[in-house]
Amino acid sequence: MFMKKRAFLKFSSILGEICGVKIESISSVLVRKYSGQSISESAEKPGEIPEYDYSPGKDVANQRRVYGWGNSEHGGLGNQLQRKKHKKSPPRMIHRPFRMHFAEHHRVIDVACGYGFSAFAIDSKERQLFGTGINTDFQIGYHSVRHGHPLAVLFAPVPVSSFPPLHSDKKKLDRVVSLSAGRSHLLVLMASGAVYTLGGNHFGQCGLPPSEKKNPLQIVPHCITKAPDGSRFVSVECGQDHSLLVSEKGDVWACGWGADGQLGQGDCNSSWKLKRVGGELSGKKIVKVSSIADTILALGEDGEVYGWGNNEYGQLLSRFSEPQFTTPLSLNVRSRTGPVKDIAASGSFCVIANESGEVFVWGYGILGLGPSADHLKEPKQIPSTLFGAGIFVDKPKVAKVAAGLSYSIAILENGDIYSWGSNSHGYLGLGHTKDQFFPMKVAVGAAALKVSCGIDHTLALCKPFA
């Protein structure tokens, strides 16, 4: 639209010179015909083409954009406009980042990718939680065209019913601050420290006793007001079918599926009751946990990394060969990498970033060190050159890392996104579906604040470049 407007104005100027007609009259007619934006004629001098400012504006720090890419068949990208353009054959995937129109009308403060669905936290007093994608377990609320016929798939973000819930004092509304999504359940952290759970509860991952029905589901959001010791929750993390909640005291509480020791209780039992994770986490203040499948990493306040759960591919760096660890162990990563500031656990490998902005990987898969480096038993650094180090940038620093089941993401301090790993559905956002063996920059027209990785799609919460 903007390019067309400038072209018309230039055309009017040339036409006016040829025909001897006033430029102002021609330009005003053309603009009225082809644009909904009026032009102030008094502010223009005859013969000059007006200049317009299309910068993000003054309040750039508070503006948010959401970009998505990857598999689009399940609706997790909320790409209803793309589907309308391809009515006969909707696109199977979007392998380049596209800017979601939904985020232009709502101020998104957090995003979460699950297994084929997405959730969005909105800064609003009315509707604070939206979802799109697979909804077979009502993980993004109950939606139906007519009563008794719930929709199993949604192709556009829609508000989740029963949000925002009333605060415990019944006098003011609580608000959503962060989200985490698993295979079929969703965790919603509120400003009050309470956590709401939705979706599949087959193993008690929603903090309720599993129903005796064949498909136990949690349709109405269940509220976990506080930890069993009375403390508030400050962060949440969904594994595949388990839930991890971090309290203000730095304790980790777990519930759900425990077949690989995900609950950290020294056994492989599942539990719907929240249980404090012990082992070598006892007495440590945990600031973050990461788990997209059955391996769990925990980051201590002191920069040390702890782990438990599945260890089939050596994700837990243990000198032992057990396929599972049911009690948390210190991985002693800090002595080899320096203090760690961010962690990410995938299905078969782990990624960390230290305080110097360096990235280390280990485990099994496409690790970012070339096609021959597919299994590492010890942390190995990905050279900073692969994140853009060169003439213009001496040493780029990675601020955050994230991981899907089989791919990795790194966010630099300047907001640039790099991705590598498996890429069968284009979820690396590189414009193709080939596996990427080294970190490659993703072409996103904004600075990334957070990237959420699902099983086959990715969302990036960004702010405009200043």
Side-chain angles (χ1 to χ4, degrees), residues 17-18 57 107 110 246 292 294 339 342 385 394 413 423 438:
E17 293 178 1
I18 295 175
R107 187 173 185 275
D110 198 18
V246 181
I292 192 174
D294 299 322
D342 202 14
T385 307
D394 182 27
E413 287 185 345
N423 193 31
F438 299 99

Side-chain angles (χ1 to χ4, degrees), residues 159-218:
V160 177
S161 59
S162 303
F163 274 89
L166 286 175
H167 194 269
S168 57
D169 61 11
K170 305 296 183 181
K171 294 181 180 179
K172 62 180 180 179
L173 292 175
D174 208 345
R175 60 185 179 86
V176 180
V177 294
S178 67
L179 308 169
S180 185
R183 176 162 64 175
S184 64
H185 73 296
L186 178 69
L187 297 180
V188 183
L189 177 65
M190 312 300 292
S192 64
V195 175
Y196 282 81
T197 63
L198 299 89
N201 189 48
H202 300 74
F203 305 98
Q205 61 264 48
C206 286
L208 286 172
S211 171
E212 295 180 357
K213 297 179 181 179
K214 184 177 181 180
N215 292 311
L217 308 173
Q218 184 57 28

Side-chain angles (χ1 to χ4, degrees), residues 101-428:
H101 298 289
F102 165 77
E104 305 303 313
H105 304 285
H106 303 84
R107 187 173 185 275
V108 181
I109 58 175
D110 198 18
V111 296
C113 291
Y115 284 33
F117 70 97
S118 301
F120 307 86
I122 308 299
D123 183 9
S124 171
K125 293 182 179 180
E126 297 179 357
R127 298 174 176 177
Q128 298 188 20
L129 183 62
F130 283 70
T132 183
I134 295 174
N135 195 36
T136 53
D137 293 284
F138 306 110
Q139 54 265 53
I140 48 178
Y142 182 89
H143 306 278
S144 64
V145 177
R146 63 180 189 274
H147 183 70
H149 294 79
L151 297 174
V153 180
L154 301 169
F155 288 100
V158 294
V160 177
S161 59
S162 303
F163 274 89
L166 286 175
H167 194 269
S168 57
D169 61 11
K170 305 296 183 181
K171 294 181 180 179
K172 62 180 180 179
L173 292 175
D174 208 345
R175 60 185 179 86
V176 180
V177 294
S178 67
L179 308 169
S180 185
R183 176 162 64 175
S184 64
H185 73 296
L186 178 69
L187 297 180
V188 183
L189 177 65
M190 312 300 292
S192 64
V195 175
Y196 282 81
T197 63
L198 299 89
N201 189 48
H202 300 74
F203 305 98
Q205 61 264 48
C206 286
L208 286 172
S211 171
E212 295 180 357
K213 297 179 181 179
K214 184 177 181 180
N215 292 311
L217 308 173
Q218 184 57 28
I219 300 175
V220 179
H222 168 62
C223 181
I224 305 174
T225 57
K226 54 188 177 181
D229 66 352
S231 58
R232 297 170 60 254
F233 294 114
V234 294
S235 68
V236 293
E237 179 76 0
C238 286
Q240 182 170 310
D241 291 307
H242 61 277
S243 299
L244 302 163
L245 293 77
V246 181
S247 73
E248 58 188 348
K249 295 180 180 179
D251 295 326
V252 179
W253 298 84
C255 65
W257 192 29
D260 279 318
Q262 299 96 311
L263 305 189
Q265 302 301 310
D267 55 42
C268 294
N269 299 325
S270 300
S271 173
W272 65 270
K273 293 183 179 180
L274 282 176
K275 295 185 176 181
R276 193 199 315 260
V277 180
E280 296 190 15
L281 260 60
S282 299
K284 304 294 183 180
K285 186 172 184 179
I286 302 302
V287 296
K288 181 179 180 180
V289 289
S290 175
S291 177
I292 192 174
D294 299 322
T295 300
I296 300 98
L297 291 183
L299 177 60
E301 188 180 38
D302 58 355
E304 186 55 89
V305 180
Y306 305 84
W308 67 97
N310 188 285
N311 186 46
E312 294 181 47
Y313 302 97
Q315 305 99 304
L316 300 181
L317 292 179
S318 176
R319 61 184 182 277
F320 306 108
S321 59
E322 284 85 350
Q324 298 95 16
F325 281 91
T326 60
T327 303
L329 301 171
S330 173
L331 304 188
N332 296 319
V333 169
R334 179 174 176 171
S335 61
R336 288 170 277 189
T337 67
V340 178
K341 68 177 179 180
D342 202 14
I343 55 175
S346 79
S348 59
F349 59 85
C350 298
V351 186
I352 63 169
N354 65 14
E355 291 185 352
S356 299
E358 300 166 333
V359 176
F360 292 80
V361 293
W362 68 87
Y364 177 79
I366 300 178
L367 303 177
L369 292 167
S372 60
D374 59 359
H375 194 190
L376 295 174
K377 296 182 179 180
E378 298 292 331
K380 187 171 183 179
Q381 182 185 351
I382 297 179
S384 59
T385 307
L386 300 178
F387 294 106
I391 299 176
F392 301 104
V393 181
D394 182 27
K395 186 178 180 181
K397 293 185 177 181
V398 173
K400 300 177 182 179
V401 291
L405 276 181
S406 57
Y407 67 105
S408 304
I409 296 286
I411 303 176
L412 271 58
E413 287 185 345
N414 63 1
D416 288 345
I417 302 174
Y418 283 77
S419 65
W420 65 95
S422 172
N423 193 31
S424 59
H425 288 85
Y427 38 76
L428 296 184

